[in-house]
Amino acid sequence: MAETITAPILTLTLNPTIDLSSHADVVRPTHKIRTSDESFEPGGGGINVARVVAELGGAAELVYFAGGVTGAFLDELLGTIGLSGHRIPIAGQTRIAHTVHEHQTGLEYRFVPEGPAVSEAELDACVALVEAFRGRYIVASGSLPRGAPADIFARLAHIARRNGVRFVLDSSGACLKTTLETAEVHLVKPSVGELEKFVGRPLEEEEVREAALDLVRRGAAEMVAVTMGARGALLAHRGGVVRLPTPKVAVRSAVGAGDSFVGGMTWALAEGWPVEDAFRLGIAAGAAAVMTTGLRLCQRADVIRLYGAIERAPERGKAR
């Protein structure tokens, strides 16, 4: 039987990464690309969310898969930044993702491997840890590894609901669709592109609002936060719809903006903030993340400053 976990927030990372960031003068085919300023960070959706929660002063525990030599390196990186977690050993090697910043153009190239496969027994170990969680929030974030069924997060959401735990979902594709069609979550954060794939067509802004409200009305999610990059974000919940802009910042890297949003909003909710204020903090955290280079995610001082710059917006379009 798994030991009971009582941290306020538990994050799930079923397909973590070691994130390598570097710089190059120019990226071109065939030729060797000489890089510099290499840095390594522990990554993957749930791990990034936990990093943001810790940066904001909160406490989160991790559940993550790790295997092979690279899995040991991931453990070392997590220990270096002081994150505690429940490592589920797997037979495969933890993947390594590579982001290259090109000096001549300012462009960013991101290479993300598929990653290892996981077994049913390895997934069962994750389920047991979720069963043992007695905190307040579970955040399931990131892609699924090969071998994981599309309904794995739906299964975990059902367990969370049965145990009185609020389930936060940030995933995409078949996993997002299956979870929202077969389970009930507290908060889901699709990007506008992910929401379009979910409904099967491009969406104008008013249609984004209606699609988000529809998920609330039919009980798939209590809150739907749709991120739209530089255009801001939209929050649909039982009280109505809030649409807020993103603060204007100097964009240096897009890595981790979505994870920072989820981490910021979940931390604020766990601290008891009103829903709309937590939404504002999520936007501030996402904007703060793009200000940093490489893999640093958001910085607390930037988040607080940007949060103060985002004006409150009146609700409209009550969900009935």
PDB file of all heavy atoms in Angstrom, residues 259-294:
ATOM      1  N   ASP A 259       2.772  26.027 -18.559  1.00  0.00           N
ATOM      2  CA  ASP A 259       2.983  25.393 -17.255  1.00  0.00           C
ATOM      3  C   ASP A 259       3.024  26.441 -16.144  1.00  0.00           C
ATOM      4  O   ASP A 259       2.534  26.205 -15.035  1.00  0.00           O
ATOM      5  CB  ASP A 259       4.283  24.595 -17.255  1.00  0.00           C
ATOM      6  CG  ASP A 259       4.262  23.420 -18.217  1.00  0.00           C
ATOM      7  OD1 ASP A 259       3.165  22.893 -18.475  1.00  0.00           O
ATOM      8  OD2 ASP A 259       5.341  23.044 -18.711  1.00  0.00           O
ATOM      9  N   SER A 260       3.610  27.600 -16.438  1.00  0.00           N
ATOM     10  CA  SER A 260       3.662  28.672 -15.447  1.00  0.00           C
ATOM     11  C   SER A 260       2.261  29.183 -15.139  1.00  0.00           C
ATOM     12  O   SER A 260       1.934  29.472 -13.981  1.00  0.00           O
ATOM     13  CB  SER A 260       4.559  29.810 -15.944  1.00  0.00           C
ATOM     14  OG  SER A 260       5.918  29.404 -16.004  1.00  0.00           O
ATOM     15  N   PHE A 261       1.416  29.303 -16.176  1.00  0.00           N
ATOM     16  CA  PHE A 261       0.027  29.705 -15.957  1.00  0.00           C
ATOM     17  C   PHE A 261      -0.657  28.728 -15.007  1.00  0.00           C
ATOM     18  O   PHE A 261      -1.289  29.135 -14.022  1.00  0.00           O
ATOM     19  CB  PHE A 261      -0.708  29.762 -17.301  1.00  0.00           C
ATOM     20  CG  PHE A 261      -2.159  30.170 -17.187  1.00  0.00           C
ATOM     21  CD1 PHE A 261      -2.561  31.447 -17.531  1.00  0.00           C
ATOM     22  CD2 PHE A 261      -3.116  29.272 -16.739  1.00  0.00           C
ATOM     23  CE1 PHE A 261      -3.894  31.830 -17.409  1.00  0.00           C
ATOM     24  CE2 PHE A 261      -4.452  29.642 -16.616  1.00  0.00           C
ATOM     25  CZ  PHE A 261      -4.838  30.926 -16.953  1.00  0.00           C
ATOM     26  N   VAL A 262      -0.550  27.434 -15.299  1.00  0.00           N
ATOM     27  CA  VAL A 262      -1.214  26.429 -14.470  1.00  0.00           C
ATOM     28  C   VAL A 262      -0.661  26.445 -13.046  1.00  0.00           C
ATOM     29  O   VAL A 262      -1.414  26.387 -12.064  1.00  0.00           O
ATOM     30  CB  VAL A 262      -1.058  25.029 -15.092  1.00  0.00           C
ATOM     31  CG1 VAL A 262      -1.595  23.953 -14.152  1.00  0.00           C
ATOM     32  CG2 VAL A 262      -1.785  24.964 -16.427  1.00  0.00           C
ATOM     33  N   GLY A 263       0.651  26.541 -12.924  1.00  0.00           N
ATOM     34  CA  GLY A 263       1.251  26.576 -11.597  1.00  0.00           C
ATOM     35  C   GLY A 263       0.805  27.782 -10.799  1.00  0.00           C
ATOM     36  O   GLY A 263       0.478  27.673  -9.612  1.00  0.00           O
ATOM     37  N   GLY A 264       0.779  28.956 -11.446  1.00  0.00           N
ATOM     38  CA  GLY A 264       0.359  30.164 -10.757  1.00  0.00           C
ATOM     39  C   GLY A 264      -1.092  30.123 -10.334  1.00  0.00           C
ATOM     40  O   GLY A 264      -1.439  30.444  -9.189  1.00  0.00           O
ATOM     41  N   MET A 265      -1.978  29.701 -11.233  1.00  0.00           N
ATOM     42  CA  MET A 265      -3.396  29.679 -10.909  1.00  0.00           C
ATOM     43  C   MET A 265      -3.703  28.618  -9.854  1.00  0.00           C
ATOM     44  O   MET A 265      -4.481  28.874  -8.917  1.00  0.00           O
ATOM     45  CB  MET A 265      -4.227  29.433 -12.169  1.00  0.00           C
ATOM     46  CG  MET A 265      -5.716  29.548 -11.927  1.00  0.00           C
ATOM     47  SD  MET A 265      -6.691  29.625 -13.456  1.00  0.00           S
ATOM     48  CE  MET A 265      -8.367  29.699 -12.758  1.00  0.00           C
ATOM     49  N   THR A 266      -3.086  27.440  -9.968  1.00  0.00           N
ATOM     50  CA  THR A 266      -3.348  26.386  -8.988  1.00  0.00           C
ATOM     51  C   THR A 266      -2.836  26.776  -7.607  1.00  0.00           C
ATOM     52  O   THR A 266      -3.506  26.549  -6.591  1.00  0.00           O
ATOM     53  CB  THR A 266      -2.705  25.064  -9.437  1.00  0.00           C
ATOM     54  OG1 THR A 266      -3.204  24.705 -10.728  1.00  0.00           O
ATOM     55  CG2 THR A 266      -3.014  23.943  -8.456  1.00  0.00           C
ATOM     56  N   TRP A 267      -1.650  27.373  -7.550  1.00  0.00           N
ATOM     57  CA  TRP A 267      -1.126  27.820  -6.254  1.00  0.00           C
ATOM     58  C   TRP A 267      -2.075  28.811  -5.604  1.00  0.00           C
ATOM     59  O   TRP A 267      -2.386  28.697  -4.409  1.00  0.00           O
ATOM     60  CB  TRP A 267       0.249  28.461  -6.433  1.00  0.00           C
ATOM     61  CG  TRP A 267       0.743  29.097  -5.172  1.00  0.00           C
ATOM     62  CD1 TRP A 267       1.329  28.477  -4.099  1.00  0.00           C
ATOM     63  CD2 TRP A 267       0.648  30.492  -4.820  1.00  0.00           C
ATOM     64  NE1 TRP A 267       1.609  29.396  -3.108  1.00  0.00           N
ATOM     65  CE2 TRP A 267       1.210  30.637  -3.525  1.00  0.00           C
ATOM     66  CE3 TRP A 267       0.160  31.614  -5.477  1.00  0.00           C
ATOM     67  CZ2 TRP A 267       1.280  31.872  -2.868  1.00  0.00           C
ATOM     68  CZ3 TRP A 267       0.235  32.849  -4.840  1.00  0.00           C
ATOM     69  CH2 TRP A 267       0.787  32.972  -3.551  1.00  0.00           C
ATOM     70  N   ALA A 268      -2.566  29.778  -6.393  1.00  0.00           N
ATOM     71  CA  ALA A 268      -3.469  30.792  -5.843  1.00  0.00           C
ATOM     72  C   ALA A 268      -4.777  30.161  -5.359  1.00  0.00           C
ATOM     73  O   ALA A 268      -5.293  30.519  -4.298  1.00  0.00           O
ATOM     74  CB  ALA A 268      -3.740  31.873  -6.888  1.00  0.00           C
ATOM     75  N   LEU A 269      -5.326  29.227  -6.125  1.00  0.00           N
ATOM     76  CA  LEU A 269      -6.550  28.541  -5.703  1.00  0.00           C
ATOM     77  C   LEU A 269      -6.316  27.772  -4.400  1.00  0.00           C
ATOM     78  O   LEU A 269      -7.155  27.782  -3.491  1.00  0.00           O
ATOM     79  CB  LEU A 269      -7.031  27.595  -6.798  1.00  0.00           C
ATOM     80  CG  LEU A 269      -7.606  28.243  -8.057  1.00  0.00           C
ATOM     81  CD1 LEU A 269      -7.817  27.188  -9.147  1.00  0.00           C
ATOM     82  CD2 LEU A 269      -8.907  28.986  -7.776  1.00  0.00           C
ATOM     83  N   ALA A 270      -5.176  27.082  -4.314  1.00  0.00           N
ATOM     84  CA  ALA A 270      -4.860  26.314  -3.108  1.00  0.00           C
ATOM     85  C   ALA A 270      -4.675  27.221  -1.896  1.00  0.00           C
ATOM     86  O   ALA A 270      -4.907  26.801  -0.757  1.00  0.00           O
ATOM     87  CB  ALA A 270      -3.606  25.470  -3.327  1.00  0.00           C
ATOM     88  N   GLU A 271      -4.273  28.480  -2.151  1.00  0.00           N
ATOM     89  CA  GLU A 271      -4.113  29.449  -1.073  1.00  0.00           C
ATOM     90  C   GLU A 271      -5.427  30.117  -0.692  1.00  0.00           C
ATOM     91  O   GLU A 271      -5.463  30.956   0.208  1.00  0.00           O
ATOM     92  CB  GLU A 271      -3.099  30.522  -1.498  1.00  0.00           C
ATOM     93  CG  GLU A 271      -1.670  30.018  -1.591  1.00  0.00           C
ATOM     94  CD  GLU A 271      -1.085  29.691  -0.222  1.00  0.00           C
ATOM     95  OE1 GLU A 271      -1.105  30.564   0.662  1.00  0.00           O
ATOM     96  OE2 GLU A 271      -0.622  28.542  -0.047  1.00  0.00           O
ATOM     97  N   GLY A 272      -6.502  29.764  -1.412  1.00  0.00           N
ATOM     98  CA  GLY A 272      -7.807  30.324  -1.079  1.00  0.00           C
ATOM     99  C   GLY A 272      -8.159  31.616  -1.781  1.00  0.00           C
ATOM    100  O   GLY A 272      -9.113  32.300  -1.391  1.00  0.00           O
ATOM    101  N   TRP A 273      -7.431  31.973  -2.830  1.00  0.00           N
ATOM    102  CA  TRP A 273      -7.730  33.194  -3.562  1.00  0.00           C
ATOM    103  C   TRP A 273      -9.069  33.053  -4.288  1.00  0.00           C
ATOM    104  O   TRP A 273      -9.431  31.953  -4.724  1.00  0.00           O
ATOM    105  CB  TRP A 273      -6.652  33.480  -4.590  1.00  0.00           C
ATOM    106  CG  TRP A 273      -5.335  33.915  -4.046  1.00  0.00           C
ATOM    107  CD1 TRP A 273      -4.763  33.576  -2.838  1.00  0.00           C
ATOM    108  CD2 TRP A 273      -4.379  34.752  -4.706  1.00  0.00           C
ATOM    109  NE1 TRP A 273      -3.529  34.140  -2.716  1.00  0.00           N
ATOM    110  CE2 TRP A 273      -3.259  34.875  -3.840  1.00  0.00           C
ATOM    111  CE3 TRP A 273      -4.354  35.392  -5.933  1.00  0.00           C
ATOM    112  CZ2 TRP A 273      -2.138  35.628  -4.181  1.00  0.00           C
ATOM    113  CZ3 TRP A 273      -3.240  36.148  -6.281  1.00  0.00           C
ATOM    114  CH2 TRP A 273      -2.153  36.269  -5.409  1.00  0.00           C
ATOM    115  N   PRO A 274      -9.799  34.170  -4.490  1.00  0.00           N
ATOM    116  CA  PRO A 274     -10.978  34.134  -5.354  1.00  0.00           C
ATOM    117  C   PRO A 274     -10.601  33.683  -6.764  1.00  0.00           C
ATOM    118  O   PRO A 274      -9.479  33.931  -7.231  1.00  0.00           O
ATOM    119  CB  PRO A 274     -11.463  35.591  -5.352  1.00  0.00           C
ATOM    120  CG  PRO A 274     -10.921  36.166  -4.087  1.00  0.00           C
ATOM    121  CD  PRO A 274      -9.599  35.490  -3.873  1.00  0.00           C
ATOM    122  N   VAL A 275     -11.540  33.038  -7.434  1.00  0.00           N
ATOM    123  CA  VAL A 275     -11.265  32.442  -8.737  1.00  0.00           C
ATOM    124  C   VAL A 275     -10.671  33.454  -9.726  1.00  0.00           C
ATOM    125  O   VAL A 275      -9.672  33.174 -10.397  1.00  0.00           O
ATOM    126  CB  VAL A 275     -12.550  31.820  -9.315  1.00  0.00           C
ATOM    127  CG1 VAL A 275     -12.361  31.444 -10.783  1.00  0.00           C
ATOM    128  CG2 VAL A 275     -12.946  30.585  -8.511  1.00  0.00           C
ATOM    129  N   GLU A 276     -11.277  34.631  -9.823  1.00  0.00           N
ATOM    130  CA  GLU A 276     -10.798  35.595 -10.812  1.00  0.00           C
ATOM    131  C   GLU A 276      -9.401  36.109 -10.488  1.00  0.00           C
ATOM    132  O   GLU A 276      -8.589  36.359 -11.385  1.00  0.00           O
ATOM    133  CB  GLU A 276     -11.772  36.764 -10.916  1.00  0.00           C
ATOM    134  CG  GLU A 276     -13.076  36.397 -11.570  1.00  0.00           C
ATOM    135  CD  GLU A 276     -13.992  37.601 -11.673  1.00  0.00           C
ATOM    136  OE1 GLU A 276     -13.500  38.701 -11.950  1.00  0.00           O
ATOM    137  OE2 GLU A 276     -15.199  37.428 -11.458  1.00  0.00           O
ATOM    138  N   ASP A 277      -9.087  36.271  -9.202  1.00  0.00           N
ATOM    139  CA  ASP A 277      -7.744  36.697  -8.829  1.00  0.00           C
ATOM    140  C   ASP A 277      -6.726  35.608  -9.136  1.00  0.00           C
ATOM    141  O   ASP A 277      -5.605  35.891  -9.561  1.00  0.00           O
ATOM    142  CB  ASP A 277      -7.704  37.060  -7.348  1.00  0.00           C
ATOM    143  CG  ASP A 277      -8.467  38.338  -7.035  1.00  0.00           C
ATOM    144  OD1 ASP A 277      -8.700  39.135  -7.965  1.00  0.00           O
ATOM    145  OD2 ASP A 277      -8.838  38.543  -5.866  1.00  0.00           O
ATOM    146  N   ALA A 278      -7.105  34.350  -8.918  1.00  0.00           N
ATOM    147  CA  ALA A 278      -6.216  33.241  -9.268  1.00  0.00           C
ATOM    148  C   ALA A 278      -5.972  33.201 -10.773  1.00  0.00           C
ATOM    149  O   ALA A 278      -4.855  32.926 -11.232  1.00  0.00           O
ATOM    150  CB  ALA A 278      -6.823  31.920  -8.791  1.00  0.00           C
ATOM    151  N   PHE A 279      -7.015  33.491 -11.548  1.00  0.00           N
ATOM    152  CA  PHE A 279      -6.886  33.558 -13.006  1.00  0.00           C
ATOM    153  C   PHE A 279      -5.912  34.662 -13.414  1.00  0.00           C
ATOM    154  O   PHE A 279      -5.044  34.456 -14.270  1.00  0.00           O
ATOM    155  CB  PHE A 279      -8.273  33.803 -13.602  1.00  0.00           C
ATOM    156  CG  PHE A 279      -8.314  34.000 -15.084  1.00  0.00           C
ATOM    157  CD1 PHE A 279      -7.785  33.065 -15.961  1.00  0.00           C
ATOM    158  CD2 PHE A 279      -8.926  35.138 -15.627  1.00  0.00           C
ATOM    159  CE1 PHE A 279      -7.845  33.250 -17.342  1.00  0.00           C
ATOM    160  CE2 PHE A 279      -8.997  35.321 -16.996  1.00  0.00           C
ATOM    161  CZ  PHE A 279      -8.459  34.383 -17.858  1.00  0.00           C
ATOM    162  N   ARG A 280      -6.025  35.813 -12.779  1.00  0.00           N
ATOM    163  CA  ARG A 280      -5.107  36.918 -13.061  1.00  0.00           C
ATOM    164  C   ARG A 280      -3.669  36.530 -12.740  1.00  0.00           C
ATOM    165  O   ARG A 280      -2.739  36.857 -13.476  1.00  0.00           O
ATOM    166  CB  ARG A 280      -5.503  38.154 -12.259  1.00  0.00           C
ATOM    167  CG  ARG A 280      -6.785  38.841 -12.734  1.00  0.00           C
ATOM    168  CD  ARG A 280      -7.228  39.904 -11.740  1.00  0.00           C
ATOM    169  NE  ARG A 280      -6.232  40.946 -11.576  1.00  0.00           N
ATOM    170  CZ  ARG A 280      -6.019  41.603 -10.444  1.00  0.00           C
ATOM    171  NH1 ARG A 280      -6.695  41.275  -9.347  1.00  0.00           N
ATOM    172  NH2 ARG A 280      -5.114  42.566 -10.387  1.00  0.00           N
ATOM    173  N   LEU A 281      -3.486  35.806 -11.629  1.00  0.00           N
ATOM    174  CA  LEU A 281      -2.129  35.403 -11.268  1.00  0.00           C
ATOM    175  C   LEU A 281      -1.587  34.404 -12.283  1.00  0.00           C
ATOM    176  O   LEU A 281      -0.401  34.422 -12.614  1.00  0.00           O
ATOM    177  CB  LEU A 281      -2.093  34.796  -9.868  1.00  0.00           C
ATOM    178  CG  LEU A 281      -0.655  34.624  -9.359  1.00  0.00           C
ATOM    179  CD1 LEU A 281      -0.127  35.953  -8.827  1.00  0.00           C
ATOM    180  CD2 LEU A 281      -0.550  33.550  -8.300  1.00  0.00           C
ATOM    181  N   GLY A 282      -2.450  33.519 -12.787  1.00  0.00           N
ATOM    182  CA  GLY A 282      -2.012  32.596 -13.826  1.00  0.00           C
ATOM    183  C   GLY A 282      -1.531  33.327 -15.065  1.00  0.00           C
ATOM    184  O   GLY A 282      -0.487  32.988 -15.641  1.00  0.00           O
ATOM    185  N   ILE A 283      -2.276  34.351 -15.486  1.00  0.00           N
ATOM    186  CA  ILE A 283      -1.858  35.142 -16.644  1.00  0.00           C
ATOM    187  C   ILE A 283      -0.520  35.814 -16.371  1.00  0.00           C
ATOM    188  O   ILE A 283       0.380  35.832 -17.224  1.00  0.00           O
ATOM    189  CB  ILE A 283      -2.935  36.192 -16.993  1.00  0.00           C
ATOM    190  CG1 ILE A 283      -4.211  35.499 -17.488  1.00  0.00           C
ATOM    191  CG2 ILE A 283      -2.422  37.168 -18.053  1.00  0.00           C
ATOM    192  CD1 ILE A 283      -5.369  36.451 -17.707  1.00  0.00           C
ATOM    193  N   ALA A 284      -0.376  36.378 -15.171  1.00  0.00           N
ATOM    194  CA  ALA A 284       0.872  37.043 -14.807  1.00  0.00           C
ATOM    195  C   ALA A 284       2.044  36.063 -14.824  1.00  0.00           C
ATOM    196  O   ALA A 284       3.138  36.387 -15.310  1.00  0.00           O
ATOM    197  CB  ALA A 284       0.736  37.680 -13.430  1.00  0.00           C
ATOM    198  N   ALA A 285       1.832  34.844 -14.327  1.00  0.00           N
ATOM    199  CA  ALA A 285       2.899  33.843 -14.308  1.00  0.00           C
ATOM    200  C   ALA A 285       3.283  33.424 -15.724  1.00  0.00           C
ATOM    201  O   ALA A 285       4.466  33.249 -16.039  1.00  0.00           O
ATOM    202  CB  ALA A 285       2.470  32.633 -13.488  1.00  0.00           C
ATOM    203  N   GLY A 286       2.279  33.254 -16.602  1.00  0.00           N
ATOM    204  CA  GLY A 286       2.573  32.901 -17.987  1.00  0.00           C
ATOM    205  C   GLY A 286       3.361  33.990 -18.686  1.00  0.00           C
ATOM    206  O   GLY A 286       4.312  33.723 -19.437  1.00  0.00           O
ATOM    207  N   ALA A 287       2.970  35.257 -18.456  1.00  0.00           N
ATOM    208  CA  ALA A 287       3.686  36.376 -19.068  1.00  0.00           C
ATOM    209  C   ALA A 287       5.099  36.495 -18.524  1.00  0.00           C
ATOM    210  O   ALA A 287       6.057  36.783 -19.259  1.00  0.00           O
ATOM    211  CB  ALA A 287       2.914  37.675 -18.833  1.00  0.00           C
ATOM    212  N   ALA A 288       5.260  36.254 -17.218  1.00  0.00           N
ATOM    213  CA  ALA A 288       6.582  36.329 -16.611  1.00  0.00           C
ATOM    214  C   ALA A 288       7.512  35.258 -17.178  1.00  0.00           C
ATOM    215  O   ALA A 288       8.723  35.475 -17.300  1.00  0.00           O
ATOM    216  CB  ALA A 288       6.474  36.177 -15.098  1.00  0.00           C
ATOM    217  N   ALA A 289       6.949  34.097 -17.533  1.00  0.00           N
ATOM    218  CA  ALA A 289       7.775  33.008 -18.063  1.00  0.00           C
ATOM    219  C   ALA A 289       8.414  33.380 -19.395  1.00  0.00           C
ATOM    220  O   ALA A 289       9.562  33.012 -19.664  1.00  0.00           O
ATOM    221  CB  ALA A 289       6.945  31.740 -18.211  1.00  0.00           C
ATOM    222  N   VAL A 290       7.691  34.097 -20.260  1.00  0.00           N
ATOM    223  CA  VAL A 290       8.249  34.407 -21.585  1.00  0.00           C
ATOM    224  C   VAL A 290       9.318  35.485 -21.502  1.00  0.00           C
ATOM    225  O   VAL A 290      10.046  35.713 -22.471  1.00  0.00           O
ATOM    226  CB  VAL A 290       7.148  34.821 -22.590  1.00  0.00           C
ATOM    227  CG1 VAL A 290       6.072  33.760 -22.687  1.00  0.00           C
ATOM    228  CG2 VAL A 290       6.541  36.179 -22.245  1.00  0.00           C
ATOM    229  N   MET A 291       9.439  36.132 -20.357  1.00  0.00           N
ATOM    230  CA  MET A 291      10.470  37.152 -20.180  1.00  0.00           C
ATOM    231  C   MET A 291      11.835  36.550 -19.912  1.00  0.00           C
ATOM    232  O   MET A 291      12.858  37.232 -20.023  1.00  0.00           O
ATOM    233  CB  MET A 291      10.094  38.073 -19.008  1.00  0.00           C
ATOM    234  CG  MET A 291       8.835  38.866 -19.206  1.00  0.00           C
ATOM    235  SD  MET A 291       8.302  39.677 -17.672  1.00  0.00           S
ATOM    236  CE  MET A 291       9.754  40.651 -17.252  1.00  0.00           C
ATOM    237  N   THR A 292      11.879  35.265 -19.515  1.00  0.00           N
ATOM    238  CA  THR A 292      13.133  34.641 -19.130  1.00  0.00           C
ATOM    239  C   THR A 292      13.733  33.872 -20.304  1.00  0.00           C
ATOM    240  O   THR A 292      13.022  33.421 -21.200  1.00  0.00           O
ATOM    241  CB  THR A 292      12.926  33.674 -17.947  1.00  0.00           C
ATOM    242  OG1 THR A 292      12.050  32.615 -18.354  1.00  0.00           O
ATOM    243  CG2 THR A 292      12.329  34.404 -16.756  1.00  0.00           C
ATOM    244  N   THR A 293      15.031  33.728 -20.277  1.00  0.00           N
ATOM    245  CA  THR A 293      15.704  32.961 -21.325  1.00  0.00           C
ATOM    246  C   THR A 293      15.824  31.506 -20.899  1.00  0.00           C
ATOM    247  O   THR A 293      15.724  31.168 -19.724  1.00  0.00           O
ATOM    248  CB  THR A 293      17.108  33.518 -21.587  1.00  0.00           C
ATOM    249  OG1 THR A 293      17.849  33.501 -20.353  1.00  0.00           O
ATOM    250  CG2 THR A 293      17.042  34.937 -22.114  1.00  0.00           C
ATOM    251  N   GLY A 294      16.037  30.659 -21.878  1.00  0.00           N
ATOM    252  CA  GLY A 294      16.279  29.250 -21.601  1.00  0.00           C
ATOM    253  C   GLY A 294      15.103  28.587 -20.927  1.00  0.00           C
ATOM    254  O   GLY A 294      13.968  28.695 -21.377  1.00  0.00           O
TER     255      GLY A 294
END
